[in-house]
Amino acid sequence: MKVRREKFLQGLTKLIVGRDLDLSAVKDPRLKSDILKNNIFYSITACILLCILALIGVIGSVLSLDKGYVLSGVNATSVYLILFLTNVVFLRLVLYEQKKPADDITRSHAALIFHLFCGINMILASLTFFTTQKNSSFFFEYILVTIIVYLLPLSDIPSFIRNAAINIVSMIFVLCFLHYNIAWQDLVDIIALHLICGFVNWVRWISFLQTEGMLFSIESKRDLYYTKSRTDALTTLLNRYALRKDFPGYINQKLSLALIDLDSFKQYNDNYGHEYGDRVLERTGKKLRHIFHDYEDRCYRYGGDEFLIISKNNTRMFTQKLREFQNSCAETGDDLPFTCSIGYCVGIPHAEADLRALIKIADNYLYKAKSDGKGTMQGALSLANASVRMMTEQLLSPATVKNTDDAVKFFTQNKMCGKSWSIAYLNVNRFAEINETIGTRNGQIILQAILNILLRYFPDSILFTREVDHFVLYSTVPDSEFTDRIRKVQSDVAALESSRVVILRAGIYHHHDTDAPADFITGMYNAIYAANQAYNVTSGDNYLCIYDATLEQKRARENFVHSNFIAALEAGHIVPYYQPIVGSLSGTTSGFEALSRWIDPEKGMISPADYVPYLEESFEAYRLDLYLLEQVCRDIRKYRDKFSQKLFVTINLSQTDFKIMNMPEEIEHIVSRYGIPTEQIQFEITESAFAETKVIHDAVKQLNARGYRVWMDDFGVGESSLSAFHNYEVQGVKIDQSFFRDLSNQRTKIIIKSIVDLCHETGSMMIAEGIETREQLWYAQQWGMNFIQGFFFSRPIPLNDLIGSPFVSNVTDEDTDRFYQTMAKVSLVNNLPFQYQNPQNHRPLLLARAVIVLCPDQQLTLLRIDKDMQDLLKGSVIAVNKYQYSLRQDFSLYAILTDAIRKVDAKHPAFGFSVELNNQKYHATLNLLAEKSNGEMEGFLLTLANFVIAP
C-alpha cells in the first residue's frame, strides 16, 4: 500500500512539475524531528489566530451586537469560549514543548499534541455554525477555522486526510442533527474549499520534502567529510587530527593511555611488500576496535606502526584489554605472526601540555619495553605527575647531540616523525689508502677539515661521526637547498689536498610532512643505503645519491631476494627456461641458452633483473649458476631423446663465481654425475669479467682443458674486447643486442663488420643476440653471423613447452652445420675504390656478390647477398620462408646460372661467363663453396662485375 502511494505521488508530481519527486527524505529519521520543529512554530501561530477569532466573537456576542442567530440549541458565546479556552490550553502545551532542547522534541509528546490540536479544532470548526447570525454568511467562521488548521501547520498526506475526514464528518453530523438544508452553491463551495486546501497543503509538503532532501544530502556529505578528516583511511581508526580535536574532552579526566608499536614492522614491509604491511595494519585496526569497543575507549593511529589508546574506564580492565590485544596478535589467520610492544601509564591532565606529557611518559615506557625484547609491556597504574615530568625531563639541543642515541632522543623530543627533514650519510672514499699515503696524523687533519666544512655550511644542524670517516648530518633545511649545500661541501672537500682529490661520497634521504611518519634510525639507514649506491660518478650525481622511490623498490627487491632465495631454490621455484639458438642460414636448431626464471607462488614470475644483480653484489650468484647447471643436466638426462648430442646448451656464469670457489671442479662434479658430454654443456661469461685478474684466466683455461667451451657474452660493450682474443681461448662471442637496435646508423654497421672480420680471422663463432625483427635477421645473415638468438624465433620457454616445440625436432646435424657455416664465412665486403670509373663507359666500378644454394627442388636460394647484388636482382626474387629468398625461375639469370652450375664441380670449382642484366653486360664468376655429402645441395659464390682485370 505504501509503495503504491509513493508511486502515485511520484507520477502526480512529475505530471505537474515535470520532474521526479525525491522521496529519499521520507525515509530519513531526521524528517520527523524537522516536521515537529516547524509545526511547533506554526501551531503557536494558529493557536494565537484562533484565540483572537474567538475573542472577537465573545466580545460581539456579549455586547449584543448580534441580530439573532440562524441556528439555535447552542449558545454562540459558549462556542466562542470553548474555541478560545481550547486553544489557550494548546498554546500553553506548545510553548512548553518549544522550550525543550531540540534533541528532546522527537522523544516528547509534541506529535500527539499536534494531532489533537488539529483534530479538536476541526470538530470546533463545525460548531461555529451556531455562531452564524442572520443575514450573514453561514459558513464564514467555519471556513476561517478550517483554513487556519489546514494551512498553517504542515501536514503529511495521511495527516491531512485524517483532518479532512474529521472536519467533514463533524460538519455532516451537525447539519444532519439540526436538519438544516444547505444550498447547492454552498455545497460546491465547501467541496472546493477542501480541494484547494488539499492542493495547497500537498504543494507545501512536496516543497518541504525537496528542501529537506537537499539539506539531508548536504549534512550527510558534511558528516562524511568530517568523519574522513578524523579517520585513518587504512585502519579506520581515529587519526592524529582527531586526537588534537579531542584534547579538550580529556582535560581533568582520569585517563589510561597506552602506546602500541608493532615489532619489526619495517622488516616485514621490506621482505613481504607494502601490500602485506597494509594488511597487517588493517588487521591491527580491526582487533583494536573489537577489543577497545566501549564508549569510553578511543583508538588512534599515532604513527606508521604506532597506535595510541586513551580510555576513561577502570585501569585494571584497561591493562587486561592490552594483554588481550597482545595475545590476539599471534592469531594470524593466513598471515605471518607478529608481536607488539606496549607502554602505558595513568594520569589526570589539567591542561593539554599535561596530556602530551602523559603520552610522552607512555612512550618512555614503550622504549623500555622494546629494550626488554619483542612482545613485552611496560607501565605503571599509579597516577603520573605529568607536569613535573615535563619540567624535569632533560632536553637536548643540536649542539649537545654526540651520537646516534642522542640524535634519536632529540628527534623524539621534538616530535619530528611527521615533519620535514633531511639526513645525509657521508663517507670519505678510500680513506684507508689516504691514511697509508699521507700518514694517520695528516688523515686526522683531513677529517677535522671536513668536519669544519660541514659545520660551516650547516651551522644549526645535528652532525656526528658514526665511524672514523663516516659522518651523519641531520637538518630541517629545504630539500633543494640541503642537496646544493652537500654538493658545495663535496666540492670544497675535493680541493683539500693538492696531491690528490678527496672524494666525499654522500647518500641523502628527504622526509616530508606529507610522507608517512618515519623515525631517525629509519632515515639514517635509508641515507646509508643511498650512499652505498654512489660508487662512482656514473651511478649518481658526482658521488651523490638521493634515496627515492626507485631505490626504495630496489631495496625491497633485495630484501625479498635475501629472505627468500635459498628457500626458492630448495622448493624448486627457480627453473630453467630455454631460448633456441638457430643457425643463421640453415634455420635449424643448434642449441639453447638456459635462463633462470623465479616463479613465486604469490608474486608470480620474477624477472632475473630483479634478483641476479643482488646475487652478484652479495656474491651469492654461484648458488644460482650451479643450481641452474644441475637442473639443465637433469633435464637433458630425462629427455635424452629430445636433447640430441648435436645440441649444445649454454649457461651463464657470473664473474663473482670464480672468486668464491673452484668453479671448474664444481662444474665437472655436476656434469659427470649426470653423464652429460662436456661438449654439450657450454658457458657464457660476460666480456667485462675477462678484464679480471688471473683467477678468470686460469678458470677458462681449466674449462677448455676439461672439454667445455666458453663464449664471451655481451661482446662489444665491456672493457676487454681485443685483449680477450689475445689472452683467452674462447669458442666464440655473443654480439650484444644493442648493436642491432640502430641499424640506420652507418657507424654501427662498420663496427659490426669489423667484429665479423675479426671473428672470421681468429676462427671464432658468433651468436647474434636479441634479434627481434626481419630486418635485424637479414643484416645478421648478410654479415655472416653463425647463429641467431632472439624473440624473432622464440622467447625463453619452459621445458614442457620446449619438448613439444619444433625446435627439438628441426635439429642440425654435422653435415648441415659444416655446409652452412662455410656459407657464413664467405666475406661479401666490397673493397673496390668506387671513385674509379670503367674507362669504356665511364661508370663506377661495380662488384656484386651473393651466396646461393642449389636445392633438391632446383630452386636457387639466396642465402646472403650484398647491397649491389640486391639492387641488380630487384624484382626477380620470391620469399621461400620468413627468412630466406630464392631466384624466380622465369628470370633469365636463373637459366644461365643453372647451366653454369652443371659445369662446376670439385675438379673445376670455378666458371666464368657473361650475363646481361637491366641492359647492362656483366662478367660473372661462379665458385663452388661446399656441397652436402649426399649431393643434394651445393653452395656457390656468385660474383658480377662490370669490368675485367687484364692479365
Side-chain angles (χ1 to χ4, degrees):
M1 184 69 181
K2 186 176 181 180
V3 174
R4 287 199 297 269
R5 184 170 70 243
E6 289 182 357
K7 288 185 177 179
F8 171 75
L9 290 175
Q10 289 275 16
L12 183 61
T13 304
K14 189 171 184 179
L15 179 65
I16 295 175
V17 302
R19 58 190 176 90
D20 290 330
L21 172 63
D22 182 10
L23 292 176
S24 60
V26 176
K27 302 175 183 179
D28 197 299
R30 292 172 290 183
L31 180 67
K32 181 180 178 182
S33 175
D34 287 353
I35 292 174
L36 292 176
K37 291 174 187 176
N38 285 326
N39 279 338
I40 284 177
F41 171 76
Y42 294 141
S43 297
I44 292 172
T45 305
C47 287
I48 293 173
L49 290 176
L50 290 173
C51 287
I52 293 172
L53 178 64
L55 280 175
I56 293 173
V58 169
I59 294 171
S61 62
V62 170
L63 295 177
S64 301
L65 298 176
D66 56 84
K67 300 177 179 179
Y69 296 93
V70 175
L71 298 177
S72 59
V74 178
N75 185 274
T77 303
S78 301
V79 173
Y80 286 129
L81 287 173
I82 292 172
L83 182 63
F84 176 78
L85 294 174
T86 300
N87 283 284
V88 167
V89 172
F90 279 120
L91 180 62
R92 179 70 183 86
L93 292 174
V94 174
L95 287 174
Y96 175 75
E97 291 295 326
Q98 188 186 35
K99 293 179 181 179
K100 291 183 178 181
D103 294 338
D104 292 340
I105 290 177
T106 55
R107 296 193 292 268
S108 67
H109 302 92
L112 177 61
I113 294 171
F114 172 71
H115 292 317
L116 288 174
F117 164 77
C118 292
I120 292 174
N121 276 295
M122 284 300 186
I123 295 173
L124 293 177
S126 299
L127 293 180
T128 59
F129 292 150
F130 294 101
T131 65
T132 305
Q133 298 180 9
K134 293 179 180 180
N135 300 324
S136 67
S137 174
F138 184 78
F139 293 101
F140 180 72
E141 289 179 329
Y142 164 79
I143 291 173
L144 286 178
V145 175
T146 301
I147 289 176
I148 289 173
V149 178
Y150 260 151
L151 299 184
L152 272 181
L154 182 65
S155 300
D156 57 10
I157 305 302
S159 298
F160 179 85
I161 294 173
R162 182 179 62 249
N163 294 334
I166 293 173
N167 182 285
I168 294 171
V169 168
S170 60
M171 178 190 67
I172 294 173
F173 176 79
V174 171
L175 292 177
C176 291
F177 178 77
L178 297 174
H179 304 289
Y180 182 80
N181 294 322
I182 61 175
W184 68 268
Q185 187 174 3
D186 290 336
L187 182 62
V188 171
D189 290 342
I190 291 172
I191 295 173
L193 167 68
H194 288 284
L195 290 177
I196 292 171
C197 288
F199 178 76
V200 172
N201 185 82
W202 177 76
V203 171
R204 288 183 64 205
W205 176 248
I206 295 303
S207 176
F208 178 75
L209 288 181
Q210 294 289 339
T211 303
E212 288 291 289
M214 289 187 290
L215 289 175
F216 292 160
S217 176
I218 293 171
E219 289 177 4
S220 298
K221 289 181 179 178
R222 182 195 63 197
D223 292 343
L224 177 63
Y225 294 147
Y226 177 73
T227 302
K228 284 186 175 181
S229 70
R230 289 174 51 87
T231 306
D232 176 64
L234 181 62
T235 63
T236 68
L237 299 177
L238 296 173
N239 56 23
R240 296 190 69 154
Y241 171 78
L243 176 62
R244 289 194 296 271
K245 292 296 183 181
D246 293 345
F247 265 27
Y250 294 132
I251 304 304
N252 297 321
Q253 301 283 332
K254 184 179 179 181
L255 303 177
S256 300
L257 295 90
L259 270 175
I260 301 173
D261 181 76
L262 303 184
D263 297 326
S264 305
F265 178 74
K266 187 179 187 305
Q267 182 179 351
Y268 278 91
N269 228 0
D270 293 340
N271 291 343
Y272 304 107
H274 291 288
E275 184 178 349
Y276 173 82
D278 290 347
R279 195 163 70 242
V280 170
L281 291 175
E282 289 177 17
R283 185 159 57 89
T284 302
K286 185 177 181 181
K287 288 180 181 295
L288 286 172
R289 290 195 308 274
H290 174 72
I291 295 172
F292 296 91
H293 62 274
D294 292 343
Y295 180 75
E296 301 293 340
D297 297 334
R298 294 287 180 89
C299 302
Y300 302 89
R301 186 180 180 189
Y302 196 66
D305 59 340
E306 283 191 340
F307 302 89
L308 173 66
I309 314 297
I310 300 180
S311 176
K312 300 176 184 178
N313 274 329
N314 179 275
T315 54
R316 298 290 179 186
M317 184 184 298
F318 181 71
T319 55
Q320 289 175 6
K321 289 182 178 181
L322 291 177
R323 290 191 179 91
E324 181 183 351
F325 173 73
Q326 260 192 335
N327 295 333
S328 69
C329 291
E331 300 172 6
T332 59
D334 296 332
D335 295 326
L336 293 174
F338 67 93
T339 59
C340 65
S341 300
I342 301 176
Y344 65 91
C345 67
V346 178
I348 302 176
H350 300 291
E352 291 189 6
D354 294 343
L355 182 55
R356 292 190 180 93
L358 287 174
I359 296 174
K360 175 61 179 174
I361 293 170
D363 188 44
N364 289 338
Y365 280 121
L366 174 62
Y367 185 79
K368 292 179 181 178
K370 294 182 76 69
S371 301
D372 292 342
K374 296 180 180 179
T376 57
M377 186 165 65
Q378 285 279 358
L381 296 179
S382 57
L383 289 177
N385 191 332
S387 300
V388 174
R389 287 291 188 100
M390 285 294 290
M391 289 186 293
T392 58
E393 185 174 342
Q394 182 183 3
L395 296 177
L396 289 168
S397 65
T400 60
V401 173
K402 302 299 181 184
N403 51 44
T404 304
D405 290 339
D406 287 348
V408 170
K409 291 178 182 178
F410 175 87
F411 198 87
T412 304
Q413 288 173 354
N414 290 273
K415 302 186 183 304
M416 299 301 298
C417 288
K419 300 178 182 179
S420 296
W421 42 268
S422 299
I423 291 180
Y425 191 82
L426 308 155
N427 177 17
V428 182
N429 205 45
R430 297 188 175 183
F431 183 69
E433 294 181 10
I434 296 175
N435 261 345
E436 291 177 3
T437 305
I438 64 176
T440 304
R441 181 178 177 81
N442 290 329
Q444 292 301 314
I445 293 174
I446 289 178
L447 290 178
Q448 186 60 48
I450 294 174
L451 204 60
N452 293 335
I453 293 171
L454 286 167
L455 290 173
R456 186 170 74 246
Y457 283 102
F458 297 92
D460 299 321
S461 302
I462 290 178
L463 176 64
F464 61 90
T465 56
R466 191 164 180 266
E467 296 179 27
V468 175
D469 58 333
H470 292 213
F471 303 90
V472 179
L473 176 69
Y474 165 85
S475 176
T476 55
V477 171
D479 293 2
S480 58
E481 184 179 348
F482 183 86
T483 305
D484 289 342
R485 290 190 192 182
I486 292 295
R487 289 196 182 101
K488 292 176 181 178
V489 168
Q490 288 179 313
S491 179
D492 288 359
V493 169
L496 282 175
E497 277 285 304
S498 58
S499 59
R500 65 165 58 237
V501 176
V502 180
I503 297 173
L504 187 65
R505 204 146 36 96
I508 296 176
Y509 172 71
H510 296 301
H511 182 270
H512 308 102
D513 53 9
T514 55
D515 297 340
D519 56 27
F520 181 85
I521 295 297
T522 300
M524 184 179 71
Y525 278 107
N526 288 345
I528 292 174
Y529 184 83
N532 290 335
Q533 307 305 308
Y535 291 116
N536 50 57
V537 292
T538 62
S539 65
D541 177 13
N542 194 25
Y543 286 97
L544 183 148
C545 182
I546 298 176
Y547 191 91
D548 55 12
T550 302
L551 277 189
E552 178 78 26
Q553 293 171 2
K554 180 176 184 290
R555 193 177 185 184
R557 289 195 300 267
E558 292 176 354
N559 287 332
F560 177 82
V561 175
H562 175 75
S563 302
N564 297 276
F565 173 64
I566 299 299
L569 290 181
E570 293 173 351
H573 293 159
I574 300 179
V575 297
Y577 269 47
Y578 297 90
Q579 186 171 31
I581 299 174
V582 178
S584 64
L585 300 179
S586 67
T588 57
T589 307
S590 299
F592 305 97
E593 180 179 2
L595 300 162
S596 67
R597 291 294 184 269
W598 186 340
I599 306 174
D600 186 75
E602 293 183 2
K603 292 180 174 289
M605 179 76 75
I606 301 176
S607 169
D610 290 338
Y611 59 89
V612 171
Y614 172 76
L615 294 177
E616 291 188 337
E617 290 176 10
S618 59
F619 292 86
E620 293 283 333
Y622 76 94
R623 298 182 188 273
L624 175 66
D625 296 341
L626 293 178
Y627 170 86
L628 194 67
L629 172 62
E630 185 158 2
Q631 295 300 310
V632 169
C633 291
R634 186 177 298 169
D635 290 345
I636 293 175
R637 188 175 68 177
K638 182 177 180 180
Y639 295 97
R640 172 48 73 189
D641 58 326
K642 301 294 184 180
F643 283 95
S644 166
Q645 291 192 20
K646 303 179 184 67
L647 294 173
F648 62 86
V649 179
T650 66
I651 298 169
N652 288 277
L653 297 179
S654 169
Q655 65 189 72
T656 63
D657 295 351
F658 303 94
K659 299 177 181 179
I660 299 298
M661 58 177 53
N662 189 333
M663 284 300 287
E665 283 191 6
E666 295 294 329
I667 290 170
E668 180 68 19
H669 175 70
I670 294 174
V671 174
S672 61
R673 190 168 75 248
Y674 286 91
I676 309 299
T678 55
E679 63 271 12
Q680 195 166 12
I681 301 294
Q682 302 183 13
F683 298 98
E684 299 179 20
I685 304 175
T686 55
E687 180 189 352
S688 57
F690 287 92
E692 291 292 330
T693 57
K694 189 173 179 294
V695 175
I696 300 290
H697 182 275
D698 292 343
V700 172
K701 190 174 181 180
Q702 289 184 48
L703 288 172
N704 287 330
R706 295 173 186 267
Y708 299 101
R709 297 174 181 176
V710 177
W711 292 82
M712 188 183 298
D713 196 12
D714 299 333
F715 184 80
V717 296
E719 306 168 352
S720 62
S721 302
L722 297 179
S723 63
F725 276 90
H726 174 70
N727 297 321
Y728 295 88
E729 185 180 345
V730 294
Q731 167 76 3
V733 299
K734 299 189 75 172
I735 310 298
D736 188 71
Q737 58 184 331
S738 59
F739 286 106
F740 294 93
R741 289 175 182 163
D742 186 16
L743 293 173
S744 60
N745 189 330
Q746 191 62 30
R747 294 173 63 88
T748 299
K749 295 178 182 178
I750 294 173
I751 292 171
I752 294 180
K753 288 178 182 178
S754 300
I755 293 174
V756 171
D757 290 341
L758 176 66
C759 291
H760 283 165
E761 290 296 326
T762 58
S764 300
M765 306 291 279
M766 292 169 288
I767 300 176
E769 278 192 298
I771 301 300
E772 299 180 357
T773 66
R774 178 66 186 86
E775 180 189 20
Q776 292 174 343
L777 174 65
W778 188 86
Y779 275 106
Q781 290 173 330
Q782 307 319 307
W783 286 329
M785 299 290 172
N786 302 100
F787 305 104
I788 304 294
Q789 179 183 350
F791 288 178
F792 182 83
F793 288 103
S794 174
R795 293 175 177 271
I797 55 179
L799 178 66
N800 291 338
D801 293 347
L802 179 68
I803 296 304
S805 72
F807 294 110
V808 294
S809 57
N810 185 29
V811 177
T812 190
D813 55 55
E814 186 177 348
D815 190 34
T816 300
D817 192 57
R818 177 193 56 80
F819 179 80
Y820 282 104
Q821 295 306 339
T822 303
M823 305 294 108
K825 290 180 182 179
V826 176
S827 175
L828 299 184
V829 177
N830 187 346
N831 295 319
L832 281 177
F834 282 99
Q835 65 272 25
Y836 291 169
Q837 295 182 344
N838 190 320
Q840 297 179 357
N841 51 26
H842 304 288
R843 290 179 179 174
L845 299 181
L846 182 142
L847 183 65
R849 291 178 175 178
V851 175
I852 62 177
V853 171
L854 178 63
C855 301
D857 58 0
Q858 297 303 304
Q859 285 192 18
L860 286 176
T861 301
L862 302 171
L863 291 184
R864 299 173 60 205
I865 183 171
D866 66 8
K867 182 65 171 59
D868 291 329
M869 186 68 79
Q870 187 180 7
D871 292 339
L872 290 174
L873 301 182
K874 186 176 296 183
S876 61
V877 297
I878 57 174
V880 178
N881 49 48
K882 67 178 181 179
Y883 51 88
Q884 286 184 342
Y885 295 92
S886 66
L887 199 64
R888 286 171 45 189
Q889 295 187 7
D890 59 350
F891 186 49
S892 60
L893 182 61
Y894 175 83
I896 297 173
L897 287 178
T898 53
D899 182 65
I901 287 172
R902 297 189 189 98
K903 301 175 182 178
V904 175
D905 53 29
K907 295 182 179 180
H908 305 89
F911 179 73
F913 56 96
S914 298
V915 63
E916 186 173 327
L917 296 173
N918 303 324
N919 298 320
Q920 296 292 327
K921 185 176 181 181
Y922 295 93
H923 301 280
T925 303
L926 192 66
N927 295 87
L928 177 64
L929 297 176
E931 57 182 335
K932 297 195 73 172
S933 57
N934 56 13
E936 291 182 352
M937 298 179 68
E938 294 177 300
F940 303 90
L941 173 64
L942 173 64
T943 305
L944 298 180
N946 62 354
F947 62 92
V948 177
I949 299 177

